[in-house]
Amino acid sequence: MKYKFVCLNCKKSIKPNPHISTCPQPRCKGAFEIVYTNINTESPQEILIPLLNISNLTNLGQGNTPVIRLNTLSNDLGIKNIYAKLEYMNPTGSFKDRGSAMMISALNEFGINEIVEDSSGNAGASISAYSAYLKMKSHIFVPEDAPKNKVSQIQLYGSIVHKIPGSRDNSAIAAIKYSKENSIPYSSHNLSPYFIEGTKFFGHEVINHFNDKQPDHILFPVGNGSLLIGSYKAYEERKKINPDIKIPKHHAIQTESIPPIIEIISNNNWAPKQAKQTLANGIAILNPPRKYQSADVIKKTNGQGIKVSDQSILDWQKELAKKDGIFAEITSAAIFSGLEKLIKQESILPGDDVLLPITGFGLKDPPRDLFN
Ligand SMILES: [Zn+2]
């Protein structure tokens, strides 16, 4: 498919270029999204992808994750159907594989053989696996205090790990500097528009699975919002083919400690310096480059932003495992705290169908008391 990069901020477009990660307009620096330019309006394609050929999409077995009904939870919470889509069954244990597969495949089509990325965990591991498969050299910049399991996973795939002292932001700054000094593309999963084109497959699978009875609600743990945005993009694409398709309310769950996107929806000012510690490190993103795009999706689908506490997330992680046999990563368990709140405030009603993506597997970042 032919496409261009469009800046989310100033709306100017440029020719796709894997060496440019943010808008080059003076003082803009907006993130890009991919807009397709040769859509056949007579017979539109179901899934639009930014590759010359679909066969170039690297396959480590990502996608087509199962959907199951959480029987005990549906019963206990008095909701008609609570479903989980088991995104932790992706090859590296998290939904990020959908984005990495597309991003690394697109970079490979451009002939790129070395990349720089910063991550505190799941995205780094995922990008490392896909780079390994395509023999692409990858440098992953991680905060010194990133979860050990996740850093070990990144190293296992053969990536070069650069440990950077200080906050998560320091890793990003160091990665950008290294990329410039060595002329290696900065391929940040938070910025790359290709990453979102990969997470779109989540939405397409949900649409196909539920067919003419789409869920009323989908709840996302939101850091940078790539799964939330990808899901909504899939519904938008399919609406062009089937205008009757119902788009579920997309709800965003963040922690009380770091809620930048929820505060945008609520028209509150929030600055990264107000951040506090949280155990949900996968959504601890202080200044997500796609924060306004994420907030837009929530507003357009009549969803809500819900803040939850670490204690409630830990409680739900255990409940979920005991009740329905799901061992979710702490970050992923946040959506169950959000579910409880949405039911309490009657935004989710007893007759509704709810879908919860379990974005990462529990052993990625195990509870501290697990082995005691
Ligand atoms: Zn711009």
Side-chain angles (χ1 to χ4, degrees), residues 7-12 23-25 28-30 32:
C7 171
L8 290 168
N9 191 19
C10 72
K11 309 294 174 204
K12 292 216 163 78
C23 178
Q25 292 295 324
C28 183
K29 294 211 166 169
F32 289 117

Side-chain angles (χ1 to χ4, degrees), residues 21 108 239 273 279:
S21 58
N108 191 49
K239 234 181 157 40
K273 64 173 189 281
L279 292 172

Side-chain angles (χ1 to χ4, degrees), residues 22 28-29 31 118 167-169 172 186 188 190-191 222-225 254 257-261 264 270-275 283-292 294:
T22 52
C28 183
K29 294 211 166 169
D118 55 280
S167 75
R168 171 71 181 79
D169 287 7
Y186 175 53
S188 154
N190 285 335
L191 284 170
V222 174
N224 194 51
Q254 297 197 296
S257 307
I258 303 179
I261 291 166
I264 291 171
W270 189 86
K273 64 173 189 281
Q274 291 168 257
I283 50 174
I285 315 282
L286 302 183
N287 189 20
R290 299 185 182 278
K291 58 187 175 187
Y292 294 108
S294 299

